[in-house]
């Protein structure tokens, strides 16, 4: 293991030396022409761009997978079963959770211009809270 670490350290030192060396020194030391150096620089640049593209694609793929996971969590929420178990409607449960201060502190609800929240709105808010983990449907005390 120590040999591998030593090899990596030496590689890093060599890379640092090569990258910080003046162009004329590299041309002399490695018997290179300026065209060969330009070709190598272009290849290196292309490889960096390709690595960046692969990284971006992997990051996007991961983000999509996380989004699909979150979507499935929301689709799997059984709000009607939860409401049936509680024997209450969604608005009553939301009011109860608000009074008991069991809702997340950073929860905000859009201004409704004086309109009352419909049962469907309340069910959706409840489903979202359950999917986010703010409400544990298996908890006997909520």
């Amino acid at each position: 293991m120590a040999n591998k670490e030593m090899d990596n350290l030496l590689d890093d030192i060599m890379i640092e030396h090569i990258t910080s060396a003046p162009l004329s020194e590299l041309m002399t030391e490695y018997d290179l022409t300026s065209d060969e150096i330009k070709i190598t620089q272009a290849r290196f640049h292309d490889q960096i761009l390709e690595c960046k593209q692969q990284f971006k694609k992997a990051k996007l793929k991961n983000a999509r997978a996380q989004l699909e996971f979150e979507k499935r969590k929301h689709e799997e929420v059984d709000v009607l079963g939860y409401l049936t178990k509680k024997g209450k409607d969604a608005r009553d449960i939301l009011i109860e959770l608000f009074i008991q201060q069991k809702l997340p502190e950073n929860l905000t609800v859009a201004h409704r211009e004086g309109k009352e929240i419909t049962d469907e709105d309340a069910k959706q808010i409840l489903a979202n809270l359950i999917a986010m983990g703010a409400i544990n449907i298996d908890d006997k005390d909520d």
Side-chain angles (χ1 to χ4, degrees), residues 78-90 93 123 126 130 137:
D78 181 18
V79 176
L80 294 179
Y82 179 68
L83 294 175
T84 302
K85 182 174 93 173
K86 288 295 204 178
K88 301 176 183 175
D89 71 8
I93 291 176
K123 286 177 188 173
L126 197 56
I130 292 169
I137 61 173

mmCIF file of all heavy atoms in Angstrom, residues 78-90 93 123 126 130 137:
data_model
loop_
_atom_site.group_PDB
_atom_site.id
_atom_site.type_symbol
_atom_site.label_atom_id
_atom_site.label_comp_id
_atom_site.label_asym_id
_atom_site.label_seq_id
_atom_site.Cartn_x
_atom_site.Cartn_y
_atom_site.Cartn_z
ATOM 1 N N ASP A 78 -51.027 6.588 0.919
ATOM 2 C CA ASP A 78 -52.433 6.203 1.006
ATOM 3 C C ASP A 78 -53.152 7.168 1.950
ATOM 4 O O ASP A 78 -53.373 6.871 3.124
ATOM 5 C CB ASP A 78 -52.549 4.755 1.500
ATOM 6 C CG ASP A 78 -53.983 4.285 1.596
ATOM 7 O OD1 ASP A 78 -54.871 4.923 0.984
ATOM 8 O OD2 ASP A 78 -54.228 3.280 2.291
ATOM 9 N N VAL A 79 -53.502 8.329 1.409
ATOM 10 C CA VAL A 79 -54.150 9.359 2.231
ATOM 11 C C VAL A 79 -55.531 8.896 2.678
ATOM 12 O O VAL A 79 -55.904 9.082 3.844
ATOM 13 C CB VAL A 79 -54.254 10.697 1.458
ATOM 14 C CG1 VAL A 79 -55.007 11.726 2.266
ATOM 15 C CG2 VAL A 79 -52.889 11.212 1.112
ATOM 16 N N LEU A 80 -56.273 8.294 1.769
ATOM 17 C CA LEU A 80 -57.624 7.861 2.142
ATOM 18 C C LEU A 80 -57.585 6.812 3.251
ATOM 19 O O LEU A 80 -58.401 6.846 4.171
ATOM 20 C CB LEU A 80 -58.356 7.323 0.911
ATOM 21 C CG LEU A 80 -58.646 8.359 -0.181
ATOM 22 C CD1 LEU A 80 -59.340 7.715 -1.366
ATOM 23 C CD2 LEU A 80 -59.489 9.502 0.371
ATOM 24 N N GLY A 81 -56.624 5.898 3.189
ATOM 25 C CA GLY A 81 -56.462 4.907 4.259
ATOM 26 C C GLY A 81 -56.116 5.568 5.574
ATOM 27 O O GLY A 81 -56.626 5.182 6.635
ATOM 28 N N TYR A 82 -55.252 6.580 5.499
ATOM 29 C CA TYR A 82 -54.863 7.319 6.700
ATOM 30 C C TYR A 82 -56.069 8.057 7.287
ATOM 31 O O TYR A 82 -56.299 8.026 8.500
ATOM 32 C CB TYR A 82 -53.738 8.300 6.358
ATOM 33 C CG TYR A 82 -53.255 9.134 7.507
ATOM 34 C CD1 TYR A 82 -52.564 8.570 8.568
ATOM 35 C CD2 TYR A 82 -53.477 10.511 7.530
ATOM 36 C CE1 TYR A 82 -52.105 9.346 9.627
ATOM 37 C CE2 TYR A 82 -53.030 11.291 8.588
ATOM 38 C CZ TYR A 82 -52.346 10.699 9.625
ATOM 39 O OH TYR A 82 -51.909 11.469 10.668
ATOM 40 N N LEU A 83 -56.854 8.686 6.421
ATOM 41 C CA LEU A 83 -58.040 9.420 6.885
ATOM 42 C C LEU A 83 -59.064 8.459 7.487
ATOM 43 O O LEU A 83 -59.687 8.764 8.509
ATOM 44 C CB LEU A 83 -58.661 10.207 5.726
ATOM 45 C CG LEU A 83 -57.817 11.350 5.163
ATOM 46 C CD1 LEU A 83 -58.487 11.958 3.941
ATOM 47 C CD2 LEU A 83 -57.567 12.410 6.215
ATOM 48 N N THR A 84 -59.225 7.299 6.852
ATOM 49 C CA THR A 84 -60.160 6.298 7.367
ATOM 50 C C THR A 84 -59.712 5.816 8.739
ATOM 51 O O THR A 84 -60.528 5.686 9.659
ATOM 52 C CB THR A 84 -60.253 5.103 6.391
ATOM 53 O OG1 THR A 84 -60.664 5.583 5.112
ATOM 54 C CG2 THR A 84 -61.234 4.065 6.883
ATOM 55 N N LYS A 85 -58.406 5.558 8.867
ATOM 56 C CA LYS A 85 -57.854 5.094 10.149
ATOM 57 C C LYS A 85 -58.082 6.135 11.242
ATOM 58 O O LYS A 85 -58.429 5.806 12.373
ATOM 59 C CB LYS A 85 -56.369 4.804 9.990
ATOM 60 C CG LYS A 85 -55.703 4.270 11.238
ATOM 61 C CD LYS A 85 -54.269 3.873 10.969
ATOM 62 C CE LYS A 85 -53.356 5.025 11.272
ATOM 63 N NZ LYS A 85 -51.929 4.675 11.202
ATOM 64 N N LYS A 86 -57.927 7.415 10.875
ATOM 65 C CA LYS A 86 -58.101 8.499 11.841
ATOM 66 C C LYS A 86 -59.578 8.815 12.097
ATOM 67 O O LYS A 86 -59.925 9.384 13.136
ATOM 68 C CB LYS A 86 -57.409 9.775 11.347
ATOM 69 C CG LYS A 86 -55.903 9.704 11.401
ATOM 70 C CD LYS A 86 -55.469 9.609 12.830
ATOM 71 C CE LYS A 86 -54.084 10.093 13.032
ATOM 72 N NZ LYS A 86 -53.684 10.044 14.421
ATOM 73 N N GLY A 87 -60.429 8.500 11.132
ATOM 74 C CA GLY A 87 -61.848 8.807 11.272
ATOM 75 C C GLY A 87 -62.139 10.297 11.161
ATOM 76 O O GLY A 87 -63.105 10.794 11.722
ATOM 77 N N LYS A 88 -61.271 11.027 10.436
ATOM 78 C CA LYS A 88 -61.427 12.476 10.287
ATOM 79 C C LYS A 88 -61.198 12.848 8.835
ATOM 80 O O LYS A 88 -60.675 12.061 8.058
ATOM 81 C CB LYS A 88 -60.399 13.210 11.152
ATOM 82 C CG LYS A 88 -60.487 12.909 12.622
ATOM 83 C CD LYS A 88 -59.392 13.588 13.394
ATOM 84 C CE LYS A 88 -59.456 13.206 14.862
ATOM 85 N NZ LYS A 88 -58.349 13.751 15.619
ATOM 86 N N ASP A 89 -61.581 14.074 8.495
ATOM 87 C CA ASP A 89 -61.253 14.532 7.134
ATOM 88 C C ASP A 89 -59.900 15.244 7.154
ATOM 89 O O ASP A 89 -59.351 15.548 8.215
ATOM 90 C CB ASP A 89 -62.365 15.388 6.532
ATOM 91 C CG ASP A 89 -62.510 16.769 7.149
ATOM 92 O OD1 ASP A 89 -61.646 17.156 7.959
ATOM 93 O OD2 ASP A 89 -63.474 17.471 6.808
ATOM 94 N N ALA A 90 -59.349 15.489 5.971
ATOM 95 C CA ALA A 90 -57.993 16.026 5.834
ATOM 96 C C ALA A 90 -57.850 17.394 6.499
ATOM 97 O O ALA A 90 -56.841 17.679 7.149
ATOM 98 C CB ALA A 90 -57.607 16.092 4.363
ATOM 99 N N ILE A 93 -57.525 17.097 10.254
ATOM 100 C CA ILE A 93 -56.195 16.594 10.646
ATOM 101 C C ILE A 93 -55.157 17.701 10.525
ATOM 102 O O ILE A 93 -54.309 17.870 11.408
ATOM 103 C CB ILE A 93 -55.807 15.360 9.809
ATOM 104 C CG1 ILE A 93 -56.708 14.185 10.214
ATOM 105 C CG2 ILE A 93 -54.341 15.008 9.987
ATOM 106 C CD1 ILE A 93 -56.507 12.934 9.413
ATOM 107 N N LYS A 123 -56.283 17.193 1.192
ATOM 108 C CA LYS A 123 -55.758 15.837 0.988
ATOM 109 C C LYS A 123 -54.382 15.883 0.323
ATOM 110 O O LYS A 123 -53.485 15.123 0.683
ATOM 111 C CB LYS A 123 -56.715 15.008 0.125
ATOM 112 C CG LYS A 123 -57.962 14.577 0.852
ATOM 113 C CD LYS A 123 -58.901 13.826 -0.080
ATOM 114 C CE LYS A 123 -60.235 13.556 0.599
ATOM 115 N NZ LYS A 123 -61.215 12.990 -0.333
ATOM 116 N N LEU A 126 -51.824 17.037 2.845
ATOM 117 C CA LEU A 126 -51.578 15.925 3.756
ATOM 118 C C LEU A 126 -50.707 14.860 3.082
ATOM 119 O O LEU A 126 -49.759 14.352 3.679
ATOM 120 C CB LEU A 126 -52.915 15.335 4.208
ATOM 121 C CG LEU A 126 -52.917 14.452 5.437
ATOM 122 C CD1 LEU A 126 -52.329 15.171 6.632
ATOM 123 C CD2 LEU A 126 -54.324 13.986 5.742
ATOM 124 N N ILE A 130 -46.998 13.665 4.290
ATOM 125 C CA ILE A 130 -46.694 12.257 4.566
ATOM 126 C C ILE A 130 -45.507 11.809 3.728
ATOM 127 O O ILE A 130 -44.573 11.180 4.220
ATOM 128 C CB ILE A 130 -47.932 11.367 4.316
ATOM 129 C CG1 ILE A 130 -49.014 11.663 5.360
ATOM 130 C CG2 ILE A 130 -47.544 9.889 4.344
ATOM 131 C CD1 ILE A 130 -50.362 11.038 5.052
ATOM 132 N N ILE A 137 -47.360 8.107 9.238
ATOM 133 C CA ILE A 137 -48.697 7.499 9.250
ATOM 134 C C ILE A 137 -48.760 6.253 10.116
ATOM 135 O O ILE A 137 -49.842 5.795 10.462
ATOM 136 C CB ILE A 137 -49.197 7.189 7.826
ATOM 137 C CG1 ILE A 137 -48.275 6.203 7.125
ATOM 138 C CG2 ILE A 137 -49.363 8.444 7.016
ATOM 139 C CD1 ILE A 137 -48.799 5.735 5.785
#
